[in-house]
Amino acid sequence: MRLDKFLKVSRLIKRRTLAKEVADQGRVAINGKKAKASSVLKEGDELEIRFGQKVVIAKVDQLRENARKEETAAMYTILREEKLAKVEPEFIDDET
């Protein structure tokens, strides 16, 4: 199954066009490798998705062409969520 379709059907990302944009911006990795929207997913793959200042790591449990809202939780398991450290801007010291 295509990555963008899985993200939409599983409701990890609400719309397929948004899932495609996120993937094509390099913010999704499959098993540690950057993925495009057209990348093929298999059951057991590990996804790493960067949402702003948060990274979600999930394991693909099931692939379904369509799923009701109640069934989507069975499609993946969240392994962990991490907040990215905010990068403080560097200040230039002009007092030299």
Side-chain angles (χ1 to χ4, degrees):
M1 172 181 280
R2 284 176 55 111
L3 173 62
D4 57 344
K5 183 166 184 176
F6 176 81
L7 292 172
K8 190 256 185 212
V9 171
S10 67
R11 290 179 169 79
L12 281 168
I13 296 181
K14 206 169 198 170
R15 294 184 319 260
R16 189 165 179 179
T17 53
L18 183 58
K20 182 180 180 338
E21 287 175 20
V22 168
D24 290 342
Q25 289 171 358
R27 294 170 33 198
V28 180
I30 300 172
N31 298 324
K33 296 180 182 176
K34 284 193 179 183
K36 294 185 179 180
S38 61
S39 298
V40 178
L41 271 181
K42 300 180 298 290
E43 289 182 6
D45 283 345
E46 191 172 293
L47 292 176
E48 183 176 318
I49 309 164
R50 192 165 42 90
F51 297 105
Q53 296 298 314
K54 184 170 84 170
V55 176
V56 175
I57 291 98
K59 181 177 156 236
V60 177
D61 294 329
Q62 294 178 7
L63 297 175
R64 295 180 170 205
E65 290 297 315
N66 49 43
R68 294 198 320 255
K69 192 175 185 178
E70 307 82 43
E71 301 168 339
T72 59
M75 293 181 69
Y76 61 90
T77 303
I78 300 289
L79 301 176
R80 64 185 182 276
E81 292 183 32
E82 302 170 357
K83 286 199 177 217
L84 296 175
K86 258 190 171 177
V87 177
E88 295 294 326
E90 292 184 30
F91 294 99
I92 300 172
D93 187 14
D94 290 332
E95 299 176 24
T96 52

Coordinates of all heavy atoms in Angstrom, one line a residue:
M1 N 0.8 -1.2 0.0 CA 0.0 0.0 0.0 C 0.9 1.2 0.0 O 1.9 1.3 0.7 CB -0.9 0.0 1.2 CG -1.7 1.3 1.4 SD -2.7 1.3 2.9 CE -4.1 0.3 2.3
R2 N 0.5 2.3 -0.7 CA 1.2 3.5 -0.8 C 1.2 4.2 0.6 O 0.3 4.1 1.4 CB 0.6 4.5 -1.8 CG 0.9 4.2 -3.2 CD 0.1 5.1 -4.1 NE 0.4 6.5 -3.8 CZ 1.1 7.3 -4.6 NH1 1.5 6.9 -5.7 NH2 1.3 8.6 -4.2
L3 N 2.3 4.8 0.9 CA 2.5 5.5 2.2 C 1.4 6.6 2.4 O 0.8 6.6 3.5 CB 3.9 6.2 2.3 CG 4.1 7.1 3.5 CD1 4.0 6.3 4.8 CD2 5.5 7.7 3.4
D4 N 1.2 7.4 1.4 CA 0.2 8.5 1.6 C -1.2 7.9 1.9 O -2.0 8.4 2.7 CB 0.2 9.5 0.5 CG -0.1 8.9 -0.9 OD1 0.0 7.7 -1.0 OD2 -0.4 9.7 -1.8
K5 N -1.6 6.9 1.2 CA -2.9 6.2 1.4 C -3.0 5.6 2.8 O -4.0 5.8 3.5 CB -3.2 5.2 0.4 CG -4.6 4.6 0.6 CD -5.0 3.8 -0.6 CE -6.5 3.4 -0.4 NZ -7.0 2.7 -1.5
F6 N -1.9 5.0 3.3 CA -1.9 4.4 4.6 C -2.1 5.5 5.7 O -2.9 5.3 6.6 CB -0.7 3.6 4.9 CG -0.6 3.1 6.3 CD1 -1.3 1.9 6.7 CD2 0.1 3.8 7.3 CE1 -1.3 1.5 8.0 CE2 0.1 3.3 8.6 CZ -0.6 2.2 9.0
L7 N -1.4 6.6 5.6 CA -1.5 7.7 6.5 C -2.9 8.2 6.6 O -3.4 8.6 7.7 CB -0.5 8.8 6.2 CG 1.0 8.4 6.4 CD1 1.9 9.5 5.8 CD2 1.3 8.1 7.8
K8 N -3.5 8.3 5.5 CA -4.9 8.8 5.4 C -5.9 7.8 6.0 O -6.7 8.1 6.8 CB -5.3 9.2 4.0 CG -6.6 10.0 3.9 CD -7.7 9.1 3.4 CE -8.9 9.9 3.1 NZ -10.1 9.1 3.4
V9 N -5.8 6.6 5.5 CA -6.8 5.5 5.9 C -6.7 5.3 7.4 O -7.7 5.1 8.1 CB -6.6 4.2 5.1 CG1 -7.5 3.1 5.7 CG2 -7.0 4.4 3.7
S10 N -5.4 5.3 7.9 CA -5.2 5.0 9.4 C -5.5 6.2 10.2 O -5.5 6.2 11.4 CB -3.8 4.6 9.6 OG -2.9 5.7 9.3
R11 N -5.7 7.4 9.6 CA -6.0 8.6 10.2 C -4.9 9.2 11.1 O -5.1 10.0 12.0 CB -7.3 8.5 11.1 CG -8.6 8.4 10.3 CD -9.8 8.3 11.1 NE -11.1 8.4 10.4 CZ -11.6 7.5 9.7 NH1 -11.0 6.3 9.5 NH2 -12.8 7.7 9.1
L12 N -3.7 8.7 10.7 CA -2.5 9.4 11.3 C -2.4 10.8 10.8 O -1.9 11.7 11.5 CB -1.2 8.6 11.0 CG -1.0 7.3 11.9 CD1 0.1 6.5 11.3 CD2 -0.6 7.7 13.3
I13 N -2.8 11.0 9.5 CA -2.9 12.3 8.9 C -4.2 12.4 8.3 O -4.7 11.4 7.6 CB -1.7 12.5 7.9 CG1 -0.4 12.5 8.6 CG2 -1.9 13.9 7.2 CD1 0.8 12.8 7.7
K14 N -4.9 13.5 8.5 CA -6.3 13.6 8.1 C -6.6 13.5 6.7 O -7.6 12.9 6.3 CB -6.9 14.9 8.7 CG -8.3 14.9 9.0 CD -8.7 16.1 9.8 CE -10.1 15.9 10.4 NZ -10.4 16.9 11.4
R15 N -5.8 14.1 5.8 CA -6.1 14.2 4.4 C -5.0 13.6 3.6 O -3.8 13.8 3.9 CB -6.4 15.6 3.9 CG -7.6 16.2 4.5 CD -7.9 17.6 3.9 NE -6.7 18.4 3.8 CZ -6.3 19.3 4.6 NH1 -7.0 19.6 5.7 NH2 -5.2 20.0 4.4
R16 N -5.3 12.9 2.5 CA -4.3 12.3 1.7 C -3.3 13.4 1.0 O -2.1 13.1 0.9 CB -4.9 11.4 0.6 CG -3.9 10.6 -0.2 CD -4.5 9.5 -0.9 NE -3.5 8.7 -1.7 CZ -3.8 7.7 -2.4 NH1 -5.1 7.3 -2.5 NH2 -2.9 7.0 -3.0
T17 N -3.9 14.5 0.6 CA -3.0 15.5 0.0 C -2.0 16.0 1.1 O -0.8 16.3 0.7 CB -3.8 16.7 -0.5 OG1 -4.7 17.2 0.5 CG2 -4.7 16.3 -1.7
L18 N -2.4 16.2 2.3 CA -1.5 16.6 3.4 C -0.5 15.5 3.6 O 0.7 15.8 3.8 CB -2.3 16.9 4.6 CG -1.5 17.4 5.8 CD1 -0.7 18.7 5.4 CD2 -2.4 17.7 7.0
A19 N -0.9 14.2 3.6 CA 0.0 13.1 3.8 C 1.1 13.1 2.7 O 2.2 12.9 3.0 CB -0.8 11.8 3.8
K20 N 0.7 13.4 1.5 CA 1.6 13.4 0.4 C 2.6 14.6 0.5 O 3.8 14.4 0.4 CB 0.8 13.6 -1.0 CG 1.7 13.7 -2.2 CD 0.9 13.8 -3.4 CE 1.7 13.9 -4.7 NZ 3.0 14.2 -4.7
E21 N 2.1 15.7 1.0 CA 3.0 16.9 1.2 C 4.0 16.6 2.3 O 5.2 16.8 2.1 CB 2.2 18.1 1.6 CG 1.5 18.7 0.4 CD 0.6 19.9 0.9 OE1 0.8 20.5 2.0 OE2 -0.4 20.2 0.2
V22 N 3.6 16.0 3.4 CA 4.5 15.7 4.5 C 5.5 14.7 4.1 O 6.7 14.9 4.4 CB 3.6 15.2 5.7 CG1 4.5 14.5 6.8 CG2 2.8 16.3 6.3
A23 N 5.1 13.7 3.4 CA 6.1 12.7 2.9 C 7.1 13.3 1.9 O 8.3 13.0 2.0 CB 5.4 11.5 2.3
D24 N 6.6 14.0 1.0 CA 7.5 14.6 -0.1 C 8.4 15.7 0.5 O 9.4 16.0 -0.1 CB 6.7 15.1 -1.2 CG 6.0 14.0 -2.1 OD1 6.5 12.8 -1.9 OD2 5.1 14.3 -2.8
Q25 N 8.1 16.2 1.7 CA 9.0 17.2 2.3 C 10.1 16.5 3.1 O 10.9 17.1 3.8 CB 8.2 18.1 3.3 CG 7.3 19.1 2.6 CD 6.4 19.8 3.5 OE1 6.4 19.5 4.7 NE2 5.6 20.7 3.0
G26 N 10.1 15.2 3.1 CA 11.1 14.4 3.8 C 10.9 14.3 5.3 O 11.8 14.0 6.1
R27 N 9.6 14.4 5.8 CA 9.3 14.3 7.2 C 8.8 12.9 7.6 O 8.4 12.8 8.7 CB 8.3 15.4 7.5 CG 8.9 16.8 7.3 CD 8.0 18.0 7.4 NE 6.9 17.8 8.3 CZ 5.8 18.6 8.3 NH1 5.7 19.5 7.3 NH2 4.8 18.4 9.1
V28 N 8.9 12.0 6.7 CA 8.5 10.6 7.0 C 9.6 9.6 6.6 O 10.2 9.8 5.6 CB 7.2 10.2 6.3 CG1 6.7 8.8 6.6 CG2 6.0 11.2 6.6
A29 N 9.8 8.7 7.5 CA 10.8 7.6 7.2 C 10.2 6.3 7.5 O 9.4 6.1 8.4 CB 12.1 7.8 8.1
I30 N 10.6 5.3 6.6 CA 10.1 3.9 6.7 C 11.4 3.1 7.1 O 12.3 3.1 6.3 CB 9.5 3.4 5.4 CG1 8.2 4.2 5.1 CG2 9.1 1.9 5.6 CD1 7.6 3.9 3.7
N31 N 11.4 2.5 8.2 CA 12.5 1.7 8.7 C 13.8 2.5 8.6 O 14.9 1.9 8.2 CB 12.6 0.4 7.8 CG 11.4 -0.5 8.0 OD1 10.8 -0.5 9.1 ND2 11.0 -1.1 6.9
G32 N 13.8 3.7 9.0 CA 15.0 4.6 9.1 C 15.4 5.2 7.8 O 16.4 6.0 7.7
K33 N 14.7 5.0 6.7 CA 15.0 5.6 5.4 C 13.9 6.6 5.0 O 12.7 6.3 5.1 CB 15.2 4.5 4.3 CG 16.3 3.6 4.5 CD 16.4 2.6 3.4 CE 17.5 1.6 3.7 NZ 17.5 0.5 2.7
K34 N 14.3 7.8 4.5 CA 13.4 8.8 4.1 C 12.5 8.2 3.0 O 12.9 7.4 2.1 CB 14.0 10.0 3.5 CG 14.6 10.9 4.6 CD 15.0 12.2 4.1 CE 15.5 13.1 5.3 NZ 15.8 14.4 4.9
A35 N 11.2 8.5 3.1 CA 10.2 7.9 2.2 C 9.4 9.0 1.4 O 9.3 10.1 1.9 CB 9.2 7.1 3.0
K36 N 9.0 8.6 0.2 CA 8.2 9.5 -0.6 C 6.7 9.0 -0.4 O 6.5 7.9 0.1 CB 8.6 9.4 -2.1 CG 9.9 10.0 -2.3 CD 10.2 10.0 -3.8 CE 11.6 10.7 -4.1 NZ 11.9 10.7 -5.5
A37 N 5.8 9.8 -0.9 CA 4.4 9.5 -0.8 C 4.1 8.2 -1.5 O 3.2 7.4 -1.1 CB 3.5 10.6 -1.3
S38 N 4.8 7.9 -2.6 CA 4.5 6.6 -3.3 C 5.2 5.4 -2.8 O 5.1 4.3 -3.4 CB 4.9 6.9 -4.8 OG 6.3 7.2 -4.9
S39 N 6.0 5.6 -1.7 CA 6.7 4.4 -1.2 C 5.7 3.3 -0.7 O 4.7 3.6 -0.2 CB 7.5 4.8 0.1 OG 8.5 5.8 -0.3
V40 N 6.1 2.1 -0.9 CA 5.2 1.0 -0.6 C 5.5 0.5 0.9 O 6.6 0.3 1.3 CB 5.5 -0.2 -1.6 CG1 4.6 -1.4 -1.2 CG2 5.2 0.2 -3.0
L41 N 4.4 0.4 1.6 CA 4.4 -0.1 3.0 C 4.1 -1.5 3.1 O 3.3 -2.0 2.3 CB 3.4 0.7 3.8 CG 3.8 2.0 4.5 CD1 2.6 2.6 5.3 CD2 5.0 1.8 5.4
K42 N 4.7 -2.2 4.1 CA 4.3 -3.6 4.4 C 4.0 -3.7 5.9 O 4.5 -2.9 6.6 CB 5.5 -4.5 4.0 CG 6.0 -4.5 2.6 CD 7.1 -5.4 2.3 CE 8.4 -5.1 3.1 NZ 9.2 -4.0 2.7
E43 N 3.3 -4.7 6.2 CA 3.0 -5.0 7.6 C 4.3 -5.2 8.3 O 5.2 -5.9 7.8 CB 2.1 -6.1 7.8 CG 0.7 -5.8 7.4 CD -0.3 -7.0 7.6 OE1 0.1 -8.0 8.2 OE2 -1.5 -6.8 7.1
G44 N 4.5 -4.6 9.5 CA 5.8 -4.8 10.3 C 6.7 -3.6 10.1 O 7.7 -3.5 10.8
D45 N 6.5 -2.8 9.1 CA 7.4 -1.6 8.9 C 7.2 -0.6 10.0 O 6.2 -0.5 10.7 CB 7.0 -0.9 7.6 CG 7.5 -1.6 6.3 OD1 8.4 -2.5 6.5 OD2 7.1 -1.2 5.2
E46 N 8.3 0.1 10.3 CA 8.3 1.1 11.3 C 8.3 2.5 10.7 O 9.2 2.8 9.8 CB 9.5 1.0 12.2 CG 9.5 1.8 13.5 CD 10.6 1.5 14.4 OE1 10.6 0.3 14.9 OE2 11.5 2.3 14.6
L47 N 7.3 3.3 11.0 CA 7.2 4.7 10.5 C 7.7 5.7 11.5 O 7.5 5.6 12.7 CB 5.7 5.0 10.2 CG 5.0 4.3 9.1 CD1 3.6 4.7 9.0 CD2 5.7 4.6 7.8
E48 N 8.4 6.7 11.0 CA 8.8 7.8 11.8 C 8.3 9.1 11.1 O 8.6 9.4 10.0 CB 10.3 7.9 11.9 CG 10.8 9.0 12.8 CD 12.3 8.9 13.0 OE1 12.9 7.8 13.1 OE2 12.9 10.0 12.9
I49 N 7.3 9.8 11.8 CA 6.7 10.9 11.2 C 7.0 12.1 12.1 O 6.8 12.1 13.3 CB 5.1 10.7 11.2 CG1 4.8 9.4 10.5 CG2 4.5 11.8 10.4 CD1 3.4 8.9 10.8
R50 N 7.4 13.2 11.4 CA 7.7 14.5 12.2 C 6.6 15.4 12.0 O 6.3 15.8 10.9 CB 9.1 15.0 11.7 CG 9.6 16.1 12.5 CD 11.0 16.5 12.3 NE 11.4 16.5 10.9 CZ 11.3 17.6 10.1 NH1 10.9 18.7 10.6 NH2 11.7 17.6 8.8
F51 N 5.9 15.8 13.1 CA 4.9 16.8 13.1 C 5.4 18.0 13.9 O 5.4 18.0 15.1 CB 3.7 16.3 13.9 CG 3.0 15.1 13.3 CD1 3.1 13.8 13.8 CD2 2.2 15.2 12.2 CE1 2.5 12.7 13.3 CE2 1.5 14.1 11.6 CZ 1.7 12.9 12.2
G52 N 5.9 19.0 13.2 CA 6.4 20.2 13.9 C 7.5 19.9 14.8 O 8.5 19.4 14.4
Q53 N 7.2 20.1 16.1 CA 8.3 19.8 17.2 C 8.1 18.5 17.8 O 8.6 18.2 18.9 CB 8.2 20.9 18.2 CG 8.5 22.3 17.7 CD 10.0 22.4 17.2 OE1 10.9 21.9 17.8 NE2 10.1 23.0 16.0
K54 N 7.4 17.5 17.1 CA 7.1 16.2 17.7 C 7.4 15.1 16.7 O 7.2 15.3 15.5 CB 5.7 16.1 18.2 CG 5.3 14.9 18.8 CD 3.9 14.9 19.4 CE 2.8 14.6 18.4 NZ 1.5 14.5 19.0
V55 N 8.0 14.0 17.1 CA 8.2 12.9 16.3 C 7.4 11.7 16.8 O 7.5 11.4 18.0 CB 9.7 12.5 16.2 CG1 10.0 11.3 15.4 CG2 10.5 13.7 15.7
V56 N 6.7 11.0 15.9 CA 5.9 9.9 16.3 C 6.5 8.7 15.6 O 6.7 8.7 14.4 CB 4.4 10.1 15.9 CG1 3.6 8.8 16.2 CG2 3.8 11.2 16.6
I57 N 6.8 7.6 16.4 CA 7.3 6.4 15.8 C 6.2 5.3 16.0 O 5.7 5.1 17.1 CB 8.6 5.9 16.5 CG1 9.7 6.9 16.1 CG2 9.0 4.5 16.0 CD1 10.0 7.9 17.1
A58 N 5.8 4.7 14.8 CA 4.7 3.8 14.9 C 5.0 2.5 14.1 O 5.8 2.6 13.1 CB 3.4 4.4 14.3
K59 N 4.5 1.4 14.5 CA 4.7 0.1 13.7 C 3.4 -0.2 13.0 O 2.3 -0.1 13.5 CB 5.0 -1.0 14.7 CG 5.2 -2.3 14.0 CD 5.6 -3.4 15.1 CE 5.3 -4.7 14.5 NZ 4.4 -5.5 15.4
V60 N 3.5 -0.5 11.7 CA 2.4 -0.9 10.9 C 1.9 -2.3 11.2 O 2.7 -3.3 11.1 CB 2.7 -0.8 9.4 CG1 1.5 -1.2 8.5 CG2 3.2 0.6 9.0
D61 N 0.7 -2.4 11.7 CA 0.2 -3.7 12.1 C -0.7 -4.4 11.0 O -0.7 -5.6 10.8 CB -0.6 -3.6 13.4 CG 0.2 -3.3 14.6 OD1 1.4 -3.7 14.6 OD2 -0.3 -2.6 15.5
Q62 N -1.5 -3.5 10.3 CA -2.4 -4.0 9.3 C -2.5 -3.0 8.2 O -2.4 -1.8 8.4 CB -3.9 -4.1 9.8 CG -4.1 -5.2 10.9 CD -5.5 -5.1 11.4 OE1 -6.4 -4.5 10.8 NE2 -5.8 -5.9 12.4
L63 N -2.7 -3.5 7.0 CA -2.9 -2.7 5.8 C -4.4 -2.9 5.4 O -4.8 -4.1 5.2 CB -2.0 -3.0 4.7 CG -0.5 -2.8 5.0 CD1 0.4 -3.3 3.8 CD2 -0.2 -1.3 5.3
R64 N -5.1 -1.9 5.3 CA -6.5 -2.0 4.8 C -6.8 -0.9 3.8 O -6.3 0.2 3.9 CB -7.5 -1.7 6.0 CG -7.4 -2.8 7.0 CD -8.4 -2.4 8.1 NE -8.5 -3.5 9.0 CZ -9.6 -3.7 9.8 NH1 -10.6 -2.9 9.7 NH2 -9.6 -4.8 10.6
E65 N -7.6 -1.2 2.8 CA -7.9 -0.2 1.7 C -8.8 0.9 2.3 O -8.8 2.0 1.8 CB -8.6 -0.9 0.5 CG -7.6 -1.8 -0.2 CD -6.5 -1.0 -0.9 OE1 -6.7 0.1 -1.4 OE2 -5.3 -1.5 -0.7
N66 N -9.7 0.5 3.2 CA -10.5 1.5 3.9 C -10.8 0.9 5.3 O -10.8 -0.3 5.5 CB -11.8 1.8 3.1 CG -12.5 0.6 2.6 OD1 -12.7 -0.4 3.4 ND2 -13.0 0.6 1.4
A67 N -11.1 1.9 6.2 CA -11.4 1.4 7.6 C -12.3 2.5 8.2 O -12.2 3.7 8.0 CB -10.1 1.3 8.4
R68 N -13.2 2.0 9.0 CA -14.1 2.9 9.8 C -13.2 3.4 11.0 O -12.2 2.9 11.3 CB -15.3 2.1 10.4 CG -16.2 1.7 9.2 CD -17.6 1.3 9.7 NE -17.7 0.6 11.0 CZ -17.9 -0.7 11.1 NH1 -18.1 -1.4 10.1 NH2 -18.0 -1.2 12.3
K69 N -13.7 4.5 11.5 CA -13.0 5.2 12.6 C -12.6 4.3 13.7 O -11.5 4.3 14.2 CB -13.8 6.4 13.1 CG -13.1 7.3 14.0 CD -14.1 8.5 14.3 CE -13.3 9.5 15.1 NZ -14.2 10.7 15.4
E70 N -13.5 3.4 14.1 CA -13.2 2.4 15.2 C -12.1 1.4 14.9 O -11.5 0.8 15.8 CB -14.5 1.7 15.6 CG -15.7 2.6 15.9 CD -16.5 3.0 14.7 OE1 -16.7 2.2 13.8 OE2 -16.8 4.2 14.6
E71 N -11.9 1.1 13.6 CA -11.0 0.1 13.2 C -9.6 0.6 13.0 O -8.6 -0.2 12.8 CB -11.5 -0.5 11.9 CG -12.8 -1.1 12.0 CD -13.4 -1.5 10.6 OE1 -13.0 -0.9 9.6 OE2 -14.3 -2.4 10.6
T72 N -9.4 1.9 12.9 CA -8.1 2.5 12.6 C -7.0 2.2 13.6 O -5.9 2.1 13.3 CB -8.2 4.0 12.3 OG1 -8.7 4.7 13.5 CG2 -9.1 4.3 11.1
A73 N -7.4 2.1 14.9 CA -6.4 1.9 16.0 C -5.7 0.6 15.8 O -4.6 0.4 16.2 CB -7.1 2.0 17.3
A74 N -6.4 -0.4 15.1 CA -5.8 -1.7 14.9 C -4.7 -1.7 13.8 O -4.0 -2.7 13.6 CB -6.8 -2.7 14.7
M75 N -4.7 -0.6 13.0 CA -3.8 -0.6 11.9 C -2.3 -0.3 12.2 O -1.4 -0.6 11.5 CB -4.3 0.5 10.9 CG -5.6 0.1 10.2 SD -6.2 1.3 9.0 CE -4.9 1.0 7.7
Y76 N -2.1 0.3 13.4 CA -0.8 0.7 13.8 C -0.7 0.7 15.3 O -1.7 0.7 16.1 CB -0.4 2.1 13.3 CG -1.3 3.2 13.8 CD1 -1.0 3.9 14.9 CD2 -2.4 3.5 13.1 CE1 -1.8 4.9 15.4 CE2 -3.3 4.5 13.6 CZ -2.9 5.2 14.7 OH -3.8 6.2 15.2
T77 N 0.6 0.6 15.8 CA 0.9 0.7 17.2 C 1.9 1.9 17.4 O 2.9 1.9 16.7 CB 1.5 -0.6 17.7 OG1 0.7 -1.7 17.5 CG2 1.8 -0.5 19.2
I78 N 1.6 2.8 18.3 CA 2.5 3.9 18.6 C 3.6 3.3 19.5 O 3.3 2.9 20.6 CB 1.8 5.1 19.2 CG1 0.7 5.7 18.4 CG2 2.8 6.2 19.6 CD1 1.2 6.4 17.1
L79 N 4.8 3.3 19.0 CA 5.9 2.8 19.8 C 6.4 3.9 20.8 O 6.7 3.6 21.9 CB 7.1 2.3 18.9 CG 6.7 1.2 17.9 CD1 7.8 0.9 17.0 CD2 6.2 0.0 18.7
R80 N 6.5 5.1 20.3 CA 6.9 6.2 21.2 C 6.7 7.5 20.5 O 6.6 7.6 19.2 CB 8.4 6.1 21.6 CG 9.4 6.2 20.5 CD 10.8 5.9 21.1 NE 11.8 6.0 20.1 CZ 12.2 5.1 19.2 NH1 11.6 3.9 19.3 NH2 13.1 5.3 18.3
E81 N 6.6 8.6 21.3 CA 6.5 10.0 20.8 C 7.6 10.8 21.5 O 7.8 10.6 22.7 CB 5.1 10.6 21.2 CG 4.0 9.9 20.4 CD 2.7 10.6 20.8 OE1 2.7 11.8 21.0 OE2 1.6 9.9 20.8
E82 N 8.3 11.6 20.7 CA 9.4 12.4 21.3 C 9.1 13.8 20.9 O 8.7 14.1 19.8 CB 10.7 11.9 20.7 CG 11.0 10.5 21.0 CD 12.2 10.0 20.2 OE1 12.8 10.8 19.4 OE2 12.6 8.8 20.4
K83 N 9.4 14.7 21.8 CA 9.4 16.1 21.5 C 10.8 16.5 21.1 O 11.8 16.1 21.7 CB 9.0 17.0 22.7 CG 7.6 16.9 23.0 CD 7.2 18.1 23.9 CE 5.7 18.0 24.1 NZ 5.0 19.2 24.1
L84 N 10.9 17.3 20.0 CA 12.2 17.7 19.5 C 12.6 18.9 20.4 O 11.8 19.8 20.7 CB 12.2 18.1 18.0 CG 11.8 17.0 17.1 CD1 11.7 17.5 15.7 CD2 12.9 15.9 17.1
A85 N 13.9 19.0 20.7 CA 14.4 20.2 21.4 C 14.3 21.4 20.6 O 14.6 21.4 19.4 CB 15.9 19.9 21.8
K86 N 13.8 22.5 21.2 CA 13.8 23.8 20.5 C 15.2 24.3 20.3 O 16.0 24.3 21.3 CB 12.9 24.8 21.3 CG 11.6 25.0 20.8 CD 10.9 26.1 21.5 CE 9.6 26.5 20.8 NZ 9.0 27.5 21.5
V87 N 15.5 24.8 19.2 CA 16.8 25.3 18.9 C 16.7 26.8 19.2 O 16.0 27.5 18.5 CB 17.2 25.1 17.5 CG1 18.6 25.7 17.2 CG2 17.3 23.6 17.2
E88 N 17.5 27.3 20.2 CA 17.5 28.7 20.5 C 18.4 29.4 19.5 O 19.4 28.9 19.1 CB 18.1 28.9 21.9 CG 17.2 28.3 23.0 CD 15.9 29.0 23.1 OE1 15.8 30.2 22.9 OE2 14.9 28.3 23.4
P89 N 18.0 30.6 19.1 CA 18.8 31.4 18.1 C 20.1 31.8 18.8 O 20.1 32.1 20.0 CB 17.9 32.6 17.8 CG 16.9 32.7 18.8 CD 16.7 31.3 19.4
E90 N 21.1 31.8 18.0 CA 22.4 32.2 18.5 C 22.5 33.7 18.5 O 22.1 34.3 17.6 CB 23.6 31.6 17.7 CG 23.7 30.1 17.8 CD 24.8 29.5 17.0 OE1 25.8 30.3 16.9 OE2 24.7 28.4 16.6
F91 N 23.0 34.2 19.6 CA 23.2 35.7 19.7 C 24.6 36.0 19.3 O 25.6 35.4 19.8 CB 22.8 36.2 21.1 CG 21.4 36.0 21.4 CD1 21.0 34.9 22.1 CD2 20.4 36.9 20.9 CE1 19.6 34.7 22.4 CE2 19.1 36.7 21.2 CZ 18.7 35.6 22.0
I92 N 24.7 37.1 18.6 CA 26.1 37.6 18.2 C 26.5 38.6 19.2 O 25.8 39.5 19.5 CB 26.0 38.2 16.8 CG1 25.6 37.1 15.8 CG2 27.4 38.7 16.4 CD1 25.3 37.6 14.4
D93 N 27.7 38.4 19.7 CA 28.3 39.3 20.7 C 29.0 40.4 20.0 O 30.1 40.1 19.5 CB 29.1 38.5 21.7 CG 29.6 39.4 22.9 OD1 29.0 40.5 23.0 OD2 30.5 38.9 23.6
D94 N 28.5 41.6 20.0 CA 29.2 42.7 19.3 C 30.2 43.4 20.2 O 30.8 44.4 19.8 CB 28.1 43.7 18.8 CG 27.3 43.1 17.7 OD1 27.9 42.3 17.0 OD2 26.2 43.5 17.5
E95 N 30.3 43.0 21.4 CA 31.2 43.7 22.4 C 32.6 43.1 22.3 O 33.2 42.7 23.3 CB 30.7 43.6 23.8 CG 29.3 44.2 23.9 CD 28.7 44.0 25.3 OE1 29.5 43.8 26.3 OE2 27.5 44.0 25.5
T96 N 33.3 43.1 21.2 CA 34.6 42.6 21.1 C 35.7 43.7 21.0 O 35.5 44.8 20.9 CB 34.8 41.7 19.9 OG1 34.3 42.4 18.7 CG2 34.1 40.4 20.1

